[in-house]
Amino acid sequence: MKFTLSWLKDHLETSASVDEIAGAMTMAGLEVEHVADPAAALAPFTVAKIVEAVQHPNADRLRVCQVETIDGIKEIVCGAPNARAGLTTIYAPIGAYVPGLGVTLVEKPVRGVVSNGMLCSASELELADESDGIQELPPEIPVGTPVARLFGAEPVIDFEVTPNRPDWLGVAGIARDLAAAGVGTLKHFDIAMVRGAFPCPVSVRIDAPDQCPVFAGRVIRGATNGPSPAWLQTRLQAIGLRSINRLVDVTNLIAYDRARPLHVYDLGKLVGSEIVVRAGQTSATTGEAEHLIALDGKTYQADPAISVIADAGGERPIGLGGVMGGESTGCSDETTDVFLESAWFDPIVTAQTGRTLNIASDAQYRFARGVDPASVVPGLELATRLILDLCGGEPSEIVLAGEHPANPAPFAFDPAYVKRLSGMDLETDRIGSILGQLGFLVTPGPAGQAEPWTVTPPSWRRDVSAKADLVEEVTRIHGFQHLPETPLPDQGSPSRGVLSPRQTRVRIARRALAARGYAEAVTWSFTRRDIAALFGGGDARLVVENPIAADLDCMRPSALPNLIQAAARNAARGHADVALFEIGPIYLGDQPGDQRTVITGLVSARAARHWAGPGEDALFALKADLMGLLEDIGAPVGSLQLAQGSNRDWWHPGRSARLQLGPKTVIAEFGAVHPRILKALDADGPMLAFEIVLDAVPEPRTKGGSTKARGPADLPNLMPLTRDFAFVVGESTAAGDLVRAVQGADKALITEVRVFDVYRGQGVADGSKSVALEVLIQPREATLTEAQIEALSAKVVAAAGKAGATLRS
């Protein structure tokens, strides 16, 4: 919604500036979006006069002009066809920004002649949509006169109208609230009744009172249509409306001035003498809805949910009720006799019509929010008076069909409720004054009554129906800045250690996986029962009695199926390579202790096209992510046993393993998902995954209940050294078992053991393999002697021997 300051002053006696008006609107609850001041943009432009205009020596369509400007005589090159000596026009100096062109003028030669400025058209200054040549001004205007003063450029306020305040869609409604806020004094204008000179020759029948309960109109004959006067064109153009003709401009003016949409029909184009308001119709033979060519030139279908205005005995649609008129009865400059409509259309029906037909007209915007029902006849009288003033003519009597909806009902109100709800301690007279200025009727009740007032909302405030609504009105008008400030009581220093160990681990795991490139997924704790059965679930005890969807009818026994399906959806949309993780619950039974918290990760291992295909690197990378994550959350990684394979058939039997603390405490499982599972879930493989049972990970043991952070004093100050060993072990011996055995040879000095080679072939017996280890030794107190190193090497060989390994010669 836009309006100018001068337009507001037609309804409000005030000396406030545009900035003060915008500030008061904001404090009164109106959301000001923007204040545009075209006068500031036009400040560099002044009136000038062409003294001489001669042909450009190097261009046929250019003229070199000597121009009298506010800066003296300037030589300016101009290409306008009407540039001539004696013409009074608009001058732009060097450095001025021309808004219509989007350029800042600089001094530069034009075909060899330097132009010291520019002569402008109205469109180049965005004062008109188009121009034929530079602007021609009356010759009596003095040189140097600011252009902004000539064109009446003034600030325009643009604000957002909330859906509950349709009265703000008229400038009069804005002025009413500002007057109540103390910005000025509201000007009250009584709308005088225009006496009809003859009976209205057009009758009205309402066949759809649920869509349009009241419809008023009158005929005006002998009117002279044509271009609107300058003041009306300027007012509409300032808010972005295009002037059409006097009759249409009057309806647009009243829509923005009083929030009262109207419509005019060319009486000569109406068929018959009756207008019918009905619902849209569909053909009994084809079932298609009737068609209407609207004023925007588009064809729309009107089904029974849409309100239609029709003539010819109700057969021919000539308008969409509350939305837009039809092209067949539109007014032109030749129109002399008109039928003026003022009606009230149901907001819900009008809003749905706009959505169905994709129309957002000014009328639809207002009716959808709720036009004042009591403005039907006053709006018609006001429009009649304006048309008679601008176009002349003779009005008929008013024809009125139906009746408008009842006004809002009164309700009891205690002014003391303002303090109870808002904390503002206001005088009773102040509360009553605010409500009265906003149009509420306040009636005091008998003395001693529990609710001393009866308040009746005005017809344009149908959003007010309770005491709290009145408190809001009083509060916003008195000023939200006056709300009392009461600080919250001091709760002391915040408590520490609010996270449990498990919550801390979940937070660490989430950050660690995100740092490794995994994206977190949040999926349902449910899945389909047949899918749950693939992962060892599907027990009848875990079937949901009232599922939110047919495919979410069972509590999930694993987070893997949801992640697999999420990866498949990504692949179907062109994102095949994804890494996802989820931290959440799984359900192994119907008892409270059967719920587990798991950390599940999944990698879609679909590689780019390559002759080798996806190799083992992806699986070892997944294992590295898993081991790193376990170490981050404080799991005893050094004590974990790696067991090949899994007893769960959703893992690939040859490409999966489990990490455990003994045979009964499985910490995690990882590996490739079985192709059978992927096929059942309609997912392309391969996919690799891991699942950590967070409940099975023991909490780290700390002294004194806290973990001591490593400081600089704990860092070794001696250089580490490495020794390489090659051991021959049986083919079935896991390299990890050998690593753990060597690591335990001297936990004080051996900090890390790495496998760097596995060899099978010549020199190694069949059924055996050679595993080469790099042992990292970190001295602590002094540099190790050769004898100490030899002794440590002996311990390593002995520890490996206990694991069934012999030193390779």
Side-chain angles (χ1 to χ4, degrees):
M1 174 67 186
K2 297 179 180 180
F3 64 93
T4 61
L5 186 58
S6 64
W7 195 341
L8 177 68
K9 290 184 177 180
D10 284 350
H11 297 278
L12 186 69
E13 186 71 42
T14 180
S15 59
S17 66
V18 65
D19 291 333
E20 292 171 337
I21 293 292
M25 290 175 62
T26 300
M27 297 310 298
L30 290 89
E31 302 176 15
V32 176
E33 295 278 331
H34 180 63
V35 178
D37 189 358
L42 295 176
F45 303 94
T46 55
V47 173
K49 181 171 291 187
I50 301 176
V51 178
E52 181 186 65
V54 298
Q55 185 67 42
H56 192 291
N58 301 320
D60 295 337
R61 297 186 179 183
L62 299 179
R63 301 180 71 80
V64 180
C65 303
Q66 303 299 321
V67 184
E68 181 185 358
T69 72
I70 192 173
D71 302 321
I73 299 296
K74 296 287 184 179
E75 185 173 71
I76 298 175
V77 179
C78 181
N82 61 336
R84 63 186 183 275
L87 177 65
T88 302
T89 185
I90 299 174
Y91 160 69
I94 297 296
Y97 176 78
V98 183
L101 300 178
V103 298
T104 300
L105 299 181
V106 296
E107 185 176 329
K108 66 178 182 178
V110 180
R111 292 291 185 93
V113 178
V114 175
S115 183
N116 299 285
M118 179 179 176
L119 302 180
C120 303
S121 66
S123 61
E124 288 167 338
L125 301 186
E126 296 185 337
L127 297 172
D129 293 335
E130 56 184 21
S131 300
D132 185 15
I134 58 177
Q135 181 70 27
E136 298 192 15
L137 299 174
E140 61 271 13
I141 300 177
V143 171
T145 303
V147 172
R149 187 188 308 168
L150 294 179
F151 288 91
E154 60 175 323
V156 177
I157 298 177
D158 184 7
F159 72 100
E160 186 69 26
V161 179
T162 55
N164 67 317
R165 293 303 304 271
D167 56 308
W168 283 346
L169 289 169
V171 179
I174 303 165
R176 183 187 302 111
D177 277 27
L178 290 175
V183 178
T185 303
L186 186 67
K187 299 178 181 179
H188 294 280
F189 299 100
D190 293 328
I191 300 176
M193 182 183 69
V194 179
R195 188 176 300 278
F198 56 91
C200 183
V202 178
S203 62
V204 177
R205 185 177 84 239
I206 299 177
D207 289 347
D210 55 329
Q211 297 179 342
C212 175
V214 59
F215 190 106
R218 78 184 332 158
V219 167
I220 301 176
R221 64 189 182 190
T224 302
N225 201 11
S228 295
W231 71 266
L232 181 52
Q233 293 189 38
T234 300
R235 176 155 290 184
L236 295 178
Q237 290 169 358
I239 61 173
L241 294 181
R242 180 173 58 91
S243 176
I244 300 175
N245 55 52
R246 296 175 194 172
L247 291 170
V248 176
D249 288 354
V250 165
T251 62
N252 288 335
L253 177 71
I254 295 177
Y256 278 82
D257 189 74
R258 303 299 178 100
R260 162 36 63 185
L262 303 163
H263 188 66
V264 284
Y265 302 88
D266 189 324
L267 186 64
K269 298 177 182 178
L270 289 176
V271 178
S273 59
E274 184 183 43
I275 285 181
V276 179
V277 185
R278 60 170 173 80
Q281 298 177 348
T282 56
S283 172
T285 56
T286 64
E288 293 185 359
E290 60 184 335
H291 293 74
L292 169 72
I293 301 177
L295 286 172
D296 61 0
K298 299 179 181 179
T299 301
Y300 299 99
Q301 290 185 333
D303 59 35
I306 295 174
S307 178
V308 169
I309 313 298
D311 64 359
E315 293 299 321
R316 184 182 74 148
I318 59 174
L320 301 170
V323 178
M324 188 176 291
E327 187 179 67
S328 61
T329 56
C331 294
S332 65
D333 288 350
E334 291 74 32
T335 299
T336 57
D337 300 335
V338 299
F339 180 77
L340 180 61
E341 166 202 306
S342 179
W344 192 87
F345 297 93
D346 181 80
I348 302 299
V349 173
T350 311
Q352 187 59 50
T353 299
R355 286 191 291 267
T356 301
L357 302 180
N358 195 24
I359 300 179
S361 64
D362 286 340
Q364 188 270 344
Y365 186 79
R366 284 161 173 76
F367 278 120
R369 281 155 178 76
V371 172
D372 179 9
S375 68
V376 172
V377 173
L380 185 64
E381 298 281 18
L382 180 60
T384 302
R385 175 58 59 194
L386 280 172
I387 291 175
L388 295 179
D389 291 343
L390 298 178
C391 306
E394 185 180 32
S396 74
E397 296 174 352
I398 292 177
V399 58
L400 178 65
E403 59 181 22
H404 66 72
N407 289 331
F411 56 89
F413 179 69
D414 184 355
Y417 195 63
V418 172
K419 184 176 182 180
R420 284 179 52 199
L421 202 61
S422 70
M424 287 184 175
D425 192 5
L426 301 179
E427 297 289 339
T428 302
D429 291 344
R430 172 60 175 158
I431 298 173
S433 174
I434 290 175
L435 295 177
Q437 288 179 301
L438 292 176
F440 294 86
L441 177 62
V442 179
T443 305
Q449 187 173 325
E451 303 284 354
W453 287 358
T454 298
V455 178
T456 305
S459 58
W460 60 84
R461 292 302 307 273
R462 310 181 80 81
D463 60 309
V464 176
S465 59
K467 296 186 292 183
D469 298 329
L470 295 180
V471 174
E472 181 183 358
E473 293 300 302
V474 173
T475 303
R476 71 178 183 86
I477 293 300
H478 184 68
F480 291 121
Q481 70 272 25
H482 296 128
L483 287 171
E485 298 180 2
T486 304
L488 293 174
D490 186 9
Q491 300 295 324
S493 60
S495 59
R496 298 181 180 180
V498 295
L499 295 180
S500 66
R502 177 179 296 183
Q503 291 171 327
T504 301
R505 281 181 161 175
V506 167
R507 176 179 291 185
I508 293 172
R510 183 175 286 115
R511 294 178 177 177
L513 286 170
R516 286 175 168 84
Y518 289 73
E520 183 173 11
V522 180
T523 68
W524 296 104
S525 294
F526 316 102
T527 187
R528 209 167 61 228
R529 188 175 182 181
D530 59 330
I531 294 177
L534 295 174
F535 291 83
D539 193 307
R541 296 172 300 169
L542 295 177
V543 175
V544 181
E545 292 184 359
N546 186 23
I548 59 176
D551 56 348
L552 298 173
D553 60 345
C554 186
M555 306 301 291
R556 66 181 183 184
S558 169
L560 275 176
N562 292 352
L563 289 185
I564 293 171
Q565 290 175 311
R569 286 192 296 270
N570 277 274
R573 289 159 177 79
H575 302 282
D577 299 322
V578 295
L580 305 174
F581 79 92
E582 181 176 8
I583 304 176
I586 62 172
Y587 305 88
L588 306 179
D590 61 347
Q591 300 300 316
D594 294 333
Q595 178 177 326
R596 302 284 190 274
T597 300
V598 296
I599 305 173
T600 306
L602 180 134
V603 176
S604 179
R606 293 176 63 185
R609 296 179 65 182
H610 191 273
W611 65 271
E616 295 297 321
D617 290 346
L619 183 56
F620 284 113
L622 179 85
K623 179 185 176 184
D625 290 341
L626 172 60
M627 299 303 292
L629 176 61
L630 288 170
E631 188 171 0
D632 289 337
I633 64 175
V637 176
S639 303
L640 294 180
Q641 300 173 357
L642 179 68
Q644 298 291 339
S646 174
N647 55 4
R648 304 180 188 274
D649 57 3
W650 56 87
W651 295 108
H652 193 295
R655 301 188 66 209
S656 61
R658 61 186 184 274
L659 296 172
Q660 56 192 31
L661 287 171
K664 295 184 179 180
T665 306
V666 178
I667 300 295
E669 293 181 323
F670 70 96
V673 181
H674 200 290
R676 173 181 57 84
I677 300 295
L678 297 178
K679 183 178 180 180
L681 296 179
D682 196 22
D684 293 331
M687 291 188 183
L688 310 176
F690 64 80
E691 193 162 63
I692 302 172
V693 181
L694 194 58
D695 308 73
V697 180
E699 296 181 8
R701 290 176 292 180
T702 59
K703 296 181 179 180
S706 63
T707 301
K708 182 180 179 183
R710 172 178 285 190
D714 299 320
L715 298 176
N717 56 3
L718 298 174
M719 291 293 294
L721 65 149
T722 61
R723 286 292 182 270
D724 295 342
F725 299 87
F727 294 101
V728 177
V729 296
E731 185 66 49
S732 61
T733 302
D737 294 340
L738 180 60
V739 167
R740 278 191 296 274
V742 172
Q743 183 87 46
D746 192 324
K747 295 182 179 179
L749 292 176
I750 299 176
T751 57
E752 189 174 0
V753 179
R754 305 189 190 102
V755 178
F756 68 87
D757 184 49
V758 177
Y759 171 75
R760 300 175 182 86
Q762 187 176 0
V764 177
D766 293 340
S768 300
K769 60 185 176 183
S770 172
V771 179
L773 303 179
E774 179 187 46
V775 180
L776 183 66
I777 304 169
Q778 177 61 65
R780 293 291 177 179
E781 298 178 355
T783 303
L784 297 179
T785 64
E786 189 65 29
Q788 290 174 319
I789 296 174
E790 290 298 329
L792 180 60
S793 299
K795 289 183 179 180
V796 169
V797 173
K802 293 180 180 179
T806 58
L807 189 64
R808 182 181 173 189
S809 58

